Every structure is written in C-alpha cells, then in structure tokens.
Amino acid sequence: MSSESRHVPVMLQRCLDLLAPALERPGAVVVDCTLGLGGHSEALLARFPGARLVALDRDKEALRLSGERLAPYGDRATLVHAVYDELPDVLERLGVARVQGVLFDLGVSSMQLDEADRGFAYAQDAPLDMRMDQTTGVSAAEVLNTYPPGDLVRILRAYGEEKQAKRIVAAVVREREREPFTNSARLVELIRDALPQAAKRTGGNPAKRTFQALRIEVNGELSVLERAVPAAVAALAVGGRIAVLSYQSLEDRLVKQVLTAGAASTAPPGLPVVPERYQPRLKLLTRGAELPSEEEVATNRRAAPARLRAAERVREDVG
C-alpha cells in the first residue's frame, strides 16, 4: 500500500489556512515536527511554492516512505531522523536561525496503527512493541513485565486516565508471573476480564486507555512534548505561526498551557503602562481548540478526537 493511499491528513485545509499568512512570504521555512507519511508536508510544499520544508520523524520507516513521496520537491524538503524536542539542534545544524511556520500532528501515525507488527493497535494481535523508533528504548512488553506495580498504576492513571488502573495492574502482575507478556491480544483479553461490567459499556474498546498509557510511556511522549512546544515557539520569527493537532486531553492541555501563557501579559498587576518586556509574545489564532467537521469525521474516523490550536508570534523576547 502506498503512503498516499493509507494516510488522510487530519484538518489539512484548516492547518494550511492558519499557516498561510506566514508561509506566503518569500524564503519562508516551515517545520513539520511529525512527518509521518508526509501528507501535511506534501500539501505545505504544494500550496507554498516559495517555502522550504524541514521535516522531523523518529521513525526510520516513515522517513523512507515520505522521502519517496516528497522526492519531486527536490532540495526544498529536508528530512531529518529526530524526535521533535530536538528541533533547536536540528535547526542549528541546518543553519536556520528562525522559522516562519511549525506544524505538529501528534499521536500515532496511520502507518504505525496499520502495520500489525508495530503493536500499537489493540484491534489486532501483534508483538507488544509500540516504539516509534524501533532502534532504541524499551518496548511495551518490557514495561508490562518489569515495572513495579505502583509505577504501572501511576502510568495507567496519568497517561491513560484509566479509573480501573489498580484492577488492571493486579491482573497484569498475576499473569506476568505465570508467563511474561509478548503479544497484544493477551493483554486485551486480560483487560476485558479485569474490568467490571459497567466499565465495559462506555468509551469504546476497554483496552484503549491502557494502550494509550503504554505508548506514551514507551515513547516519552508527554515529556518530549513539554520540551518541544516551547522550543518551537522560541524558533518562530515575529509573524511566524504554529499549529498543533492533539488527539487526547493530556496533549491538548499541555499545548493549551504553553500557548495561553505566551499570549498573556506577564506584567505585575496595577501598572498604568505595560512595558514591552511584559507584553504577550503570542496571539492566539483559534478560540479554544477547534474540532474537525462532521463531514471530515464521517470520511476519516481517525480525525474524530483531533483538537487544533494555533498561535502567531507577535514580538521578540525583550530582556
């Protein structure tokens, strides 16, 4: 299956429209921090013929497939094997001081969900891996088999917002002593058996929250995002714009905190005139988080949980 046919970029037109005023400038540089299968990147290059793209991904297979897809754009596209919190280092290596646009499309790429052997999807049996970069780090199976029960409960609660974390972990600990976990189907079955009936009736697949929690832990997603969004804002030139697509409340909350803090005055209360160094650095471009249209969700179910936030850099930092 080609990368184009299996990847429908989420809220694509809205992302392009939000970034357009910054990217229509001659010599604009736009960073796609989450290249994936290259759908957003391809559209950026096509819509803004004067722009140069720098695209990051930690997944080597995604880089290979996207490289084929973006080859017609030649040296306008620079693809880099990196996690998105490495953005400042990547830009420094490329000699890029400031950028005009940054796009994040968070969550798991279509390829990672669709390829069974990656172990991201709970709907099919697969090795419990979940690493976005399969050359480094611990797998989901290692987390399940080796983490102390208290740590597993914390992860399921914090990253999966799983109310039944204790019950699930008790079952995991009991089962892993009998035989270590290797595949996803056994974990899905264990979760189904561990949950009370009432908990199974709401919120889709009962394994969803546990799988999300394991994926975030394995890939350090929230700690990476915590560093990456402020770094992206810092990399923006004045007039530059950032757009972020989140797929779960923890990510969206984190993005909201960074952007709203940047859009707030830091002046002590009661100043008759606010000096420039206290003025907001950002202007919010979305009212709260924007949601995909019903039409888009009907044609692309993976768009359903998407939340889009965007902001414009309105001034430099003043010491």
Side-chain angles (χ1 to χ4, degrees):
M1 196 190 289
S2 74
S3 61
E4 289 91 336
S5 64
R6 65 178 165 192
H7 176 55
V8 182
V10 171
M11 297 181 78
L12 177 61
Q13 197 54 50
R14 185 61 179 138
C15 288
L16 295 175
D17 291 346
L18 283 164
L19 294 171
L23 298 185
E24 281 158 352
R25 302 170 186 184
V29 176
V30 58
V31 182
D32 184 345
C33 286
T34 46
L35 173 64
L37 290 173
H40 285 105
S41 277
E42 183 177 45
L44 287 164
L45 288 162
R47 167 115 178 232
F48 308 109
R52 174 186 168 196
L53 170 84
V54 176
L56 281 54
D57 208 292
R58 64 169 87 184
D59 188 325
K60 287 186 172 174
E61 182 62 5
L63 287 164
R64 185 185 69 76
L65 289 165
S66 294
E68 292 170 8
R69 183 174 187 168
L70 303 179
Y73 295 96
D75 60 6
R76 286 182 56 209
T78 304
L79 277 49
V80 184
H81 181 231
V83 185
Y84 41 77
D85 65 339
E86 297 174 78
L87 176 62
D89 300 338
V90 170
L91 294 178
E92 192 179 345
R93 282 206 307 274
L94 296 173
V96 176
R98 287 297 178 92
V99 302
Q100 282 63 48
V102 179
L103 175 67
F104 286 90
D105 180 13
L106 302 168
V108 186
S109 81
S110 305
M111 178 192 71
Q112 289 161 343
L113 282 171
D114 292 342
E115 294 190 355
D117 63 354
R118 304 297 291 269
F120 285 94
Y122 37 79
Q124 49 195 343
D125 191 24
L128 275 168
D129 192 318
M130 299 195 195
R131 289 172 299 165
M132 291 179 184
D133 180 351
Q134 290 187 297
T135 63
T136 184
V138 298
S139 68
E142 287 175 77
V143 170
L144 277 176
N145 293 328
T146 65
Y147 275 32
D151 285 352
L152 287 175
V153 170
R154 176 184 57 77
I155 288 163
L156 295 199
R157 280 184 180 154
Y159 299 159
E161 299 179 283
E162 175 56 80
K163 293 184 176 71
Q164 304 291 334
K166 270 192 160 169
R167 204 183 274 247
I168 291 167
V169 169
V172 165
V173 171
R174 195 167 56 244
E175 277 293 302
R176 77 186 186 186
E177 283 170 8
R178 197 170 63 79
E179 188 189 336
F181 284 89
T182 55
N183 277 45
S184 57
R186 183 173 163 222
L187 178 60
V188 172
E189 193 181 338
L190 174 144
I191 292 165
R192 280 190 200 282
D193 292 346
L195 292 181
Q197 279 307 116
K200 291 185 222 183
R201 283 197 286 269
T202 55
N205 191 310
K208 178 179 165 185
R209 290 179 294 277
T210 297
F211 272 64
Q212 174 182 300
L214 287 170
R215 193 197 82 219
I216 289 172
E217 171 66 16
V218 164
N219 296 291
E221 286 174 47
L222 289 178
S223 53
V224 167
L225 189 62
E226 242 171 328
R227 295 186 292 273
V229 179
V233 168
L236 286 175
V238 171
R241 292 182 164 210
I242 179 171
V244 186
L245 280 162
S246 308
Y247 295 85
Q248 36 102 343
S249 58
L250 300 164
E251 291 173 341
D252 181 55
R253 202 176 305 147
L254 213 152
V255 174
K256 176 186 177 182
Q257 284 166 355
V258 175
L259 298 188
T260 51
S265 163
T266 56
L271 289 184
V273 177
V274 177
E276 193 185 342
R277 69 178 181 277
Y278 297 130
Q279 303 273 7
R281 289 189 301 160
L282 298 176
K283 178 178 80 177
L284 300 180
L285 301 172
T286 48
R287 292 187 59 160
E290 290 188 7
L291 310 181
S293 66
E294 287 176 20
E295 295 78 21
E296 178 171 3
V297 172
T299 56
N300 180 15
R301 62 186 175 78
R302 286 182 187 158
R307 303 286 179 270
L308 175 62
R309 294 181 187 270
E312 179 181 345
R313 181 80 182 252
V314 291
R315 72 168 183 86
E316 286 289 359
D317 289 329
V318 180

